Amino acid sequence: MKRNIRKVHAAAYAPISDLVTYRALPTAALPMNALDPFLFLNHHGHQVYPAGNGGLPFGPHPHRGFETVTFILEGDLMHQDSSGASSIITAGGVQWMTAGSGLVHAELSSDAFKEKGGPLEILQLWVNLPARLKMTPPKYTGLQRADIPVLKLAHDQVSLHAVSGTWWGCKGPVEPLTDTELCWMTWNGGAALELSIPPERTVLFYVVRGTFLVNGTTLMAHQLAEFGHEGDGLHIEAPEDGLLLLGHAAPFREPIVAYGPFVMNTEEEIRQAYADWEQGRFGNGDLG
């Protein structure tokens, strides 16, 4: 039985300074926990930065209670955080950061990118943590393109980049704290695939580029599909070249309270998060 699509949601245009940004989740029509445990998805770009640009605007800021997964499709991303982790991840790479009990991090462009400019396109996804893991120690993993296995499907017409979980026998390099499977896929026009995702799992399906036909429903760039929990089959066709973010996870079915950079289960926990941050308990936030 095919998985039902409840609704197709258009990402909201929400630029940040000079950074082209589309907010796919949450939107006015799709609350933050509607795709439990997927909380938030921003699509930055595509745009081309000139030489001598100021780079990305995400200076030091705190997080607690969830994980960020950042897909660098074009350009680069320099990460620094208060645990001491740092890296510059280039196009085709991924950053997976467990904020857990709390840290301060900065996401900026490298000096080379600011000097030379070039194309930039980045996806940032927030994945919730269950109550039992909200205060887990922070952790950061930076993966370059070469670290991420690529599986060829549909007679080599689809390239699947496995980040976490197992896709057609191909295991992603990230071992998540929760049962979360994520990949992105590039498609040649005319390709088609069938896959099965158990009905109890939440599906994340966002079109970055191109057009897709999913169980008879058309999705275009900057659109996200809200799937129901009836059926398990997905029939995907790509009438043109495209790029797709795909994931699935077991929902937690827990209450959430989100305020600014913190996602917890109660208002008291949010108040405590702000108090801990203001009192310097997230580590050294002087990241430049």
Side-chain angles (χ1 to χ4, degrees), residues 70-143:
T70 309
F71 304 82
I72 298 92
L73 303 177
E74 293 194 74
D76 68 25
L77 186 59
M78 180 173 67
H79 171 94
Q80 298 174 294
D81 69 47
S82 54
S83 76
S86 65
S87 69
I88 297 174
I89 302 298
T90 55
V94 170
Q95 296 180 348
W96 193 302
M97 186 186 79
T98 302
S101 60
L103 50 63
V104 178
H105 77 147
E107 300 163 297
L108 303 168
S109 301
S110 70
D111 290 342
F113 184 85
K114 288 188 285 187
E115 178 184 349
K116 296 179 181 178
L120 181 136
E121 189 166 24
I122 291 172
L123 307 174
Q124 184 168 94
L125 173 69
W126 292 9
V127 182
N128 200 13
L129 287 171
R132 64 183 178 84
L133 293 174
K134 288 286 189 188
M135 297 299 285
T136 198
K139 181 181 177 181
Y140 170 77
T141 300
L143 301 169

Side-chain angles (χ1 to χ4, degrees), residues 150-162 167-170 183-188 191-195 236 246:
V150 180
L151 180 65
K152 296 291 187 178
L153 300 168
H155 306 290
D156 293 339
Q157 296 300 296
V158 177
S159 296
L160 184 152
H161 303 253
W167 301 87
W168 281 275
C170 180
C183 73
W184 83 92
M185 309 167 78
T186 56
W187 293 64
N188 291 343
L193 273 179
E194 298 270 356
L195 71 150
I236 308 172
L246 179 63

Side-chain angles (χ1 to χ4, degrees), residues 28 30 34 41 45-46 63 70 84 90 110 118-119 147 166-167 172-173 182 189 204 219 230 232 254 273:
L30 195 64
L41 178 61
H46 179 270
H63 286 305
T70 309
T90 55
S110 70
D147 300 322
T166 301
W167 301 87
L182 289 170
L204 175 72
L219 285 94
E230 297 81 36
D232 61 356
E254 296 178 350

Side-chain angles (χ1 to χ4, degrees), residues 21 24 53 66 101 106 111 132 146 149 196 219 246-247 249 253 281:
T21 299
N53 66 82
F66 59 96
S101 60
D111 290 342
R132 64 183 178 84
S196 177
L219 285 94
L246 179 63
R253 297 186 175 90
R281 294 174 183 161

